[in-house]
């Protein structure tokens, strides 16, 4: 150990359960974690996506991104609500769902003080106040506040019906 370093500030590092490899300080561990995170972050700027899905043609910048994606193919939903047992593919989806049981709406509109479960819902709502319509039709240039409205509108150009009658 370095002079002046207390035993509490150092951690033993073992190699695959073998003998003691070396003592490291918490600072060294923090730096290693920082550089590892920085290395992964740089991939976003370089466009590097070294992890590929064996089921489809998608690539991912992180192993975690690939694992999350693969749940689409397997149907795995490992995160379940303890109150209603509804299951989710992503932990973040479960967190948002839990708010419905608690009645928790942490996102508020600064214009009208209306509250929302998710930030995305708040952003969509704020378009009412700003008049923003960011979704435009490539056929006729008509603009919409919500992407779902644009999807519905596009059907007028294609003639596609959103529902079909089972009797005729």
């Amino acid at each position: 150990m370095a002079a002046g370093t207390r035993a509490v500030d150092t951690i033993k590092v073992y190699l695959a359960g073998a003998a003691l490899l070396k003592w490291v300080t918490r600072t060294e561990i923090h730096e290693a974690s920082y550089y590892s995170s920085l290395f992964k972050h740089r991939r976003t700027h370089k466009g590097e996506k070294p992890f590929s899905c064996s089921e489809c043609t998608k690539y991912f910048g992180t192993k975690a991104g690939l694992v999350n994606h693969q749940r689409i193919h397997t149907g795995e939903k490992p995160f379940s609500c303890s109150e209603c047992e509804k299951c989710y593919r992503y932990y973040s989806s479960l967190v948002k769902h839990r708010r419905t049981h608690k009645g928790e709406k942490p996102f508020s509109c600064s214009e009208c003080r209306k509250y929302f479960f998710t930030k995305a819902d708040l952003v969509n709502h704020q378009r009412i106040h700003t008049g923003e319509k960011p979704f435009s039709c490539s056929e006729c240039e008509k603009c919409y506040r919500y992407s779902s409205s644009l999807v519905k509108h596009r059907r007028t150009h294609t003639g596609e019906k959103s529902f079909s009658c089972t009797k005729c």
Side-chain angles (χ1 to χ4, degrees), residues 81-97:
C81 176
S82 57
E83 292 194 40
C84 69
E85 299 184 19
K86 190 168 183 180
C87 296
Y88 293 90
R89 193 169 284 132
Y90 308 107
Y91 179 73
S92 60
S93 299
L94 173 61
V95 169
K96 290 173 189 170
H97 166 77

Side-chain angles (χ1 to χ4, degrees), residues 37-89:
S37 297
L38 181 60
F39 177 77
K40 290 175 186 172
H41 172 75
R42 285 184 176 162
R43 285 184 187 148
T44 62
H45 296 295
K46 293 178 180 179
E48 291 177 6
K49 295 184 177 185
F51 301 96
S52 63
C53 177
S54 58
E55 298 288 320
C56 66
T57 60
K58 290 196 174 195
Y59 288 83
F60 300 88
T62 64
K63 177 90 170 159
L66 172 62
V67 169
N68 282 339
H69 165 78
Q70 287 174 326
R71 291 182 186 139
I72 292 169
H73 301 299
T74 64
E76 180 188 13
K77 293 183 177 182
F79 305 102
S80 63
C81 176
S82 57
E83 292 194 40
C84 69
E85 299 184 19
K86 190 168 183 180
C87 296
Y88 293 90
R89 193 169 284 132

Side-chain angles (χ1 to χ4, degrees), residues 3-5 16 18 25 29 35 45 78 95-96 105 109 112 114 116-117 121-123 137-141 148 156-157:
T5 304
T25 65
I29 288 175
Y35 286 113
H45 296 295
V95 169
K96 290 173 189 170
K105 293 182 176 181
C109 176
C112 67
K114 192 171 182 180
F116 300 90
F117 287 111
D121 289 341
L122 170 61
V123 169
C137 178
S138 57
E139 299 274 327
C140 68
E141 304 301 316
S148 59
T156 63
H157 296 298

